[in-house]
């Protein structure tokens, strides 16, 4: 707990800033920012949905992290991107926070081919 | 994998690869890749391992050694199916198409087609500029 609260003012402003910058990007549908233990801190989704997303994707992120540490040499995850038919979820683990962005997947290749 | 099984899997690969090329990619290059040409083409572009799996995650073809392939597949296959479950949990009509794991010295791309799974493991060079197509 102490580690997360090391510099709370900067973290909060950082979160707000990140949120604002992300919302300004085109194609972004939802943003979810979690703290280092996976609890949603700031989100544009409603409560239930944000908890679901946070839980499931944090779990996935942990598994990816575990896989990478098994590789030699041990790596740390910098980015995780899961793309689906309708949208794309980007997960960025950071020192203090984890940012999850759901964005529109304009997949022109697959659409053209039907 | 014995020599016999290798031959049969490469035949399966020919079927799956050509079908996949038509469905998935816009194919700026020639559509029907010969078995080895496909793999060597990517192999020359610096530091890539390609693993081709069938729909159930059974490895068909790989550019790296069998031990390494097994190591990758045994870790990545459950990860991929877990991601698919995550996506389905959130929205039952949705289905995963790609997954990209990126770390400081490289990245792993996983593509799920209708008949196959393609995994590309890539290592960046020192300048952190991987050769792009």
């Amino acid at each position: 707990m102490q580690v997360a609260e090391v510099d709370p003012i900067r973290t909060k402003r950082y979160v707000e800033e990140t949120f604002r910058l992300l919302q300004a990007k085109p194609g972004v549908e939802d943003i979810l920012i979690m703290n280092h233990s996976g609890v949603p801190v700031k989100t544009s989704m409603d409560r239930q949905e944000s908890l679901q997303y946070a839980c499931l994707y944090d779990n996935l992120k942990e598994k990816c992290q575990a896989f990478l540490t098994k590789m030699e040499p041990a790596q740390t995850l910098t980015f995780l991107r899961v793309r689906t038919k309708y949208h794309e979820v980007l997960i960025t683990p950071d020192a203090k926070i984890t940012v999850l962005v759901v964005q529109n997947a304009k997949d022109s290749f697959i659409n053209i081919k039907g | 994998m014995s020599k016999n099984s290798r031959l049969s899997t490469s035949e399966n690969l020919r079927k799956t690869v050509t079908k996949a090329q038509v469905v998935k990619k816009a194919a700026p290059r020639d559509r029907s890749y010969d078995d080895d040409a496909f793999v060597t083409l990517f192999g020359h572009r610096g530091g890539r391992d390609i693993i081709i799996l069938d729909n159930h995650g059974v490895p068909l073809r790989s550019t790296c050694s069998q031990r390494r392939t097994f190591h990758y597949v045994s870790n990545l296959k459950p990860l991929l199916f877990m991601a698919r479950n995550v996506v389905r949990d959130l929205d039952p009509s949705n289905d995963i198409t790609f997954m990209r794991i990126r770390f400081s010295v490289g990245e792993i791309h996983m593509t799920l087609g209708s008949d196959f799974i393609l995994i590309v493991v890539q290592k960046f060079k020192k300048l952190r500029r991987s050769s792009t197509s």
Side-chain angles (χ1 to χ4, degrees):
Chain A
M1 276 208 190
Q2 208 60 16
V3 179
E5 308 298 321
V6 151
D7 203 353
I9 297 172
R10 195 201 120 212
T11 309
K12 201 170 191 178
R13 200 181 296 163
Y14 188 73
V15 163
E16 301 284 333
E17 184 73 23
T18 312
F19 193 84
R20 206 171 46 78
L21 287 172
L22 282 172
Q23 279 215 312
K25 298 262 178 192
V28 165
E29 288 177 7
D30 284 317
I31 303 167
L32 173 68
I33 301 183
M34 309 176 243
N35 69 1
H36 69 285
S37 59
V39 175
V41 165
K42 184 145 183 70
T43 172
S44 66
M45 308 184 239
D46 50 329
R47 191 111 187 103
Q48 196 66 10
E49 213 185 335
S50 73
L51 281 174
Q52 231 185 339
Y53 264 88
C55 179
L56 289 169
Y57 279 109
D58 200 52
N59 198 18
L60 188 65
K61 187 203 78 174
E62 294 289 326
K63 290 287 191 307
C64 287
Q65 190 84 268
F67 160 67
L68 284 177
T69 51
K70 272 193 232 170
M71 278 177 64
E72 61 281 327
Q75 310 285 351
T76 51
L77 185 70
T78 60
F79 196 67
L80 179 61
R81 188 192 275 219
V82 178
R83 191 178 181 125
T84 69
K85 265 198 302 188
Y86 305 131
H87 57 247
E88 186 169 12
V89 178
L90 319 174
I91 299 146
T92 315
D94 196 23
K96 296 192 175 76
I97 56 173
T98 303
V99 180
L100 192 153
V101 178
V102 180
Q103 71 179 11
N104 207 0
K106 280 170 284 177
D107 202 351
S108 47
F109 279 1
I110 291 181
N111 281 340
I112 285 170
K113 287 297 173 187
Chain B
M1 291 179 198
S2 68
K3 231 184 236 177
N4 290 331
S5 69
R6 218 184 128 94
L7 280 172
S8 61
T9 53
S10 59
E11 269 180 66
N12 286 339
L13 178 67
R14 204 163 283 131
K15 285 187 216 154
T16 55
V17 163
T18 48
K19 215 191 283 184
Q21 293 296 338
V22 170
V23 171
K24 283 295 282 188
K25 300 196 177 170
R29 306 188 195 93
D30 197 41
R31 286 256 172 105
S32 57
Y33 283 115
D34 191 52
D35 199 4
D36 280 290
F38 178 73
V39 172
T40 51
L41 179 73
F42 281 102
H44 283 155
R45 298 246 180 128
R48 279 189 206 188
D49 279 332
I50 300 176
I51 305 173
I52 303 175
L53 317 160
D54 75 348
N55 227 352
H56 300 287
V58 175
L60 298 175
R61 187 65 192 259
S62 164
T63 59
C64 50
S65 70
Q66 193 182 340
R67 192 177 65 85
R68 214 142 180 245
T69 308
F70 182 71
H71 183 247
Y72 276 134
V73 170
S74 62
N75 286 320
L76 287 174
K77 186 175 86 81
L79 206 62
L80 200 52
F81 290 153
M82 177 183 285
R84 173 179 260 165
N85 287 334
V86 165
V87 162
R88 284 249 177 90
D89 277 343
L90 289 168
D91 181 6
S93 63
N94 211 352
D95 198 10
I96 183 175
T97 54
F98 300 104
M99 184 156 147
R100 187 205 271 201
I101 300 176
R102 190 180 167 110
F103 41 98
S104 55
V105 296
E107 55 186 352
I108 300 176
H109 295 195
M110 295 178 262
T111 307
L112 279 91
S114 51
D115 308 310
F116 72 106
I117 298 171
L118 179 73
I119 297 177
V120 178
V121 181
Q122 186 177 338
K123 294 272 165 67
F124 299 142
K125 296 194 179 156
K126 274 184 194 163
L127 288 175
R128 298 210 55 199
R129 282 244 172 257
S130 64
S131 53
T132 49
S133 55

